Amino acid sequence: AGKLADLVRAGATPGNHAVVVGTVHAGLGVPERQAVAGDLFAFASSWTASAVRMGRVDFRQAQAILYGAHPGIAHAAATALAARSPYDIHASVPLADIVSAAHERAEARLFTT
């Protein structure tokens, strides 16, 4: 982790979430498939937890949603692992980005993190 921090400070590598989490998983010896699937599940879980906090679903529904997300998570993990270049992986969710950016600057926010 210290070497990565030095490389990020020097501008030799990006220090974004994917790079840092990938470095931590590699350092811990987590196999690639489990690391990718675990990070995707954590992402899905955080969105589901938000839905619970907002009262849109209860904890049982949240668990059903996460269980139902398994095939999509497995497919996304397989796609990511098949990539041979960063240019092979791309996503486009502009509405989510726009809403997130607006929420970040809103006077009244649901969650402050």
Side-chain angles (χ1 to χ4, degrees), residues 18-98:
V19 172
V20 173
V21 170
T23 301
V24 170
H25 283 306
L28 294 172
V30 177
E32 283 183 357
R33 183 168 297 282
Q34 282 80 4
V36 171
D39 203 47
L40 290 171
F41 180 83
F43 179 76
S45 180
S46 70
W47 279 75
T48 308
S50 293
V52 171
R53 288 194 307 266
M54 290 187 293
R56 304 302 295 167
V57 298
D58 66 24
F59 72 94
R60 287 182 189 93
Q61 291 168 314
Q63 290 302 310
I65 290 166
L66 289 173
Y67 181 79
H70 178 267
I73 290 171
H75 177 73
T79 300
L81 290 167
R84 295 295 142 230
S85 158
Y87 299 108
D88 293 340
I89 300 175
H90 49 83
S92 179
V93 287
L95 183 57
D97 293 340
I98 291 167

Side-chain angles (χ1 to χ4, degrees), residues 2-16 19:
K3 185 176 180 178
L4 175 60
D6 292 340
L7 291 169
V8 170
R9 271 193 288 282
T13 191
N16 62 32
V19 172

